[in-house]
Amino acid sequence: MKRIFSGIQPSGNLQLGNYLGAIRNWAQMQNDYECIFCVVDLHAITLPQDPLEMRDATREAAAGVIAGGVNPETCIIFNQSQVPEHAELAWLFNCVARLGWLNRMTQFKEKAGKDRDGAFVGLYTYPVLQAADILAYKATDVPVGEDQKQHIELCRDIAQAFNSMYGKDFFPLPEARIQKAAARIMSLRDGTKKMSKSDPSDYSRINMTDGPDAIAQKIRKAKTDPYPLPDSLRELDERPEALNLITIFAALSNKDEQSVISEFAGRGFGEFKKCLADLAVETMGPIGEEMQRLMACPEEVDTLLNVGAIKAREIAEPIVKEAKEIVGFLGPRI
Ligand code: AQP
């Protein structure tokens, strides 16, 4: 059976884009693959985090994955820092990846902003750690949103470079599995920016834990334009906010965007937003409630993560041990 690895950062405020772009796909793939899902806390500290808030955010991310439909009995769910092989393999890969490859990564440019010299080194080498996350399990498939495509390509480059540096076909070249629908959900305040947990404006996103009133209010206040909905997708090329709401409606209702446009063509955004709010409350409401229930039982979530980490380590430890032998490190004799 093919093996999936994917991760989610515990950076608080799990949002609709995380659900539609990642978690929902994980849940749909879980019966066809051996699945390893990771709350990537080592990645989260590439930007400053409050230690107390991060513990809660780690539980929230795990709760979001489980409430979003991933079965912790059959899939491995754990937090990254409990499995030391991730960081160890990342160091080996730091000595394989080239500066020029990392210089091309757009996520670093976006997250570091103008003050690149002030950014943490960890933010720069983030994709190298991500390659280690995937390859520590020799995962073959990585379901991610569109924004992560470049990092998965880098992971393939690192795997290939390692194999050729050491003359051994050791790591597989994993494939990014990007679902076309909802590959990129945009901010409700700016249709050119992706919806993100760390956006300072809470009105830019629908949090997975938002209740019905908050969901309806955020959709009502979402930026749009004064024109009615057109009857073809092409006419939305210059209207990113309008297109984003159509994309969200289509994803939540499991329809394609064109059929949503055809259904609402000629109608105003007031009416469309009301239907979208009802749909979002109906689909996201039960998931948010289950998340709240799990987050109210931190011991239950911590135990699930501990058990997941033990199972994850059983896979990663021998793979990373062998990688170290390939590199030429002396291992313990006793
Ligand atoms: N807006 C989005 N549309 C589609 N997919 C998305 N993902 C995130 N935002 C969207 C997908 O969610 C998975 C987990 O992402 P992550 O938490 O590891 O980091 P991220 O992509 O950086 O997500 P955020 O919300 O923007 O987090 P912050 O603000 O902390 O950086 C990934 O598969 C991602 O593609």
Side-chain angles (χ1 to χ4, degrees), residues 210-239:
D210 280 343
D213 292 346
I215 294 176
Q217 196 187 27
K218 286 177 179 179
I219 292 176
R220 207 166 43 244
K221 285 184 178 274
K223 188 176 166 198
T224 36
D225 53 49
Y227 311 106
L229 284 147
D231 53 17
S232 86
L233 262 185
R234 210 166 12 89
E235 290 172 69
L236 289 180
D237 281 354
E238 306 293 319
R239 298 169 65 186

Side-chain angles (χ1 to χ4, degrees), residues 129-326:
L129 176 59
Q130 192 170 350
D133 298 337
I134 298 163
L135 295 171
Y137 301 92
K138 292 195 174 178
T140 51
D141 296 81
V142 191
V144 280
E146 180 78 37
D147 56 313
Q148 291 296 325
K149 196 170 162 208
Q150 196 185 30
H151 287 177
I152 308 309
E153 278 160 10
L154 184 94
C155 172
R156 291 167 63 87
D157 290 343
I158 290 176
Q160 199 156 33
F162 182 97
N163 292 349
S164 88
M165 249 168 107
Y166 294 103
K168 199 153 185 217
D169 193 17
F170 185 64
F171 287 115
L173 307 192
E175 300 277 350
R177 293 260 166 251
I178 299 169
Q179 302 274 335
K180 270 189 112 190
R184 205 166 168 82
I185 299 294
M186 310 309 278
S187 157
L188 299 180
R189 308 302 299 161
D190 176 351
T192 62
K193 253 173 70 183
K194 86 166 181 148
M195 187 179 283
S196 187
K197 298 184 213 87
S198 52
D199 192 301
S201 166
D202 196 48
Y203 278 93
S204 69
R205 64 180 162 263
I206 294 173
N207 299 314
M208 284 179 69
T209 48
D210 280 343
D213 292 346
I215 294 176
Q217 196 187 27
K218 286 177 179 179
I219 292 176
R220 207 166 43 244
K221 285 184 178 274
K223 188 176 166 198
T224 36
D225 53 49
Y227 311 106
L229 284 147
D231 53 17
S232 86
L233 262 185
R234 210 166 12 89
E235 290 172 69
L236 289 180
D237 281 354
E238 306 293 319
R239 298 169 65 186
E241 285 83 15
L243 177 62
N244 187 36
L245 294 187
I246 297 285
T247 304
I248 294 174
F249 194 105
L252 288 172
S253 57
N254 289 312
K255 291 181 182 163
D256 62 53
E257 288 163 345
Q258 186 52 55
S259 61
V260 176
I261 289 257
S262 307
E263 192 180 332
F264 287 95
R267 284 147 83 176
F269 268 103
E271 197 182 340
F272 175 74
K273 281 178 168 179
K274 211 183 151 311
C275 296
L276 177 57
D278 290 346
L279 175 64
V281 167
E282 189 189 312
T283 44
M284 298 308 293
I287 297 173
E289 277 169 29
E290 176 60 6
M291 266 182 87
Q292 302 277 15
R293 187 196 70 75
L294 284 163
M295 284 155 65
C297 312
E299 296 84 10
E300 185 183 330
V301 177
D302 293 2
T303 304
L304 281 172
L305 292 172
N306 292 162
V307 172
I310 292 168
K311 291 193 217 160
R313 208 161 176 212
E314 278 167 11
I315 302 173
E317 201 180 7
I319 293 174
V320 175
K321 183 170 173 276
E322 200 178 337
K324 285 164 65 182
E325 280 163 14
I326 290 171

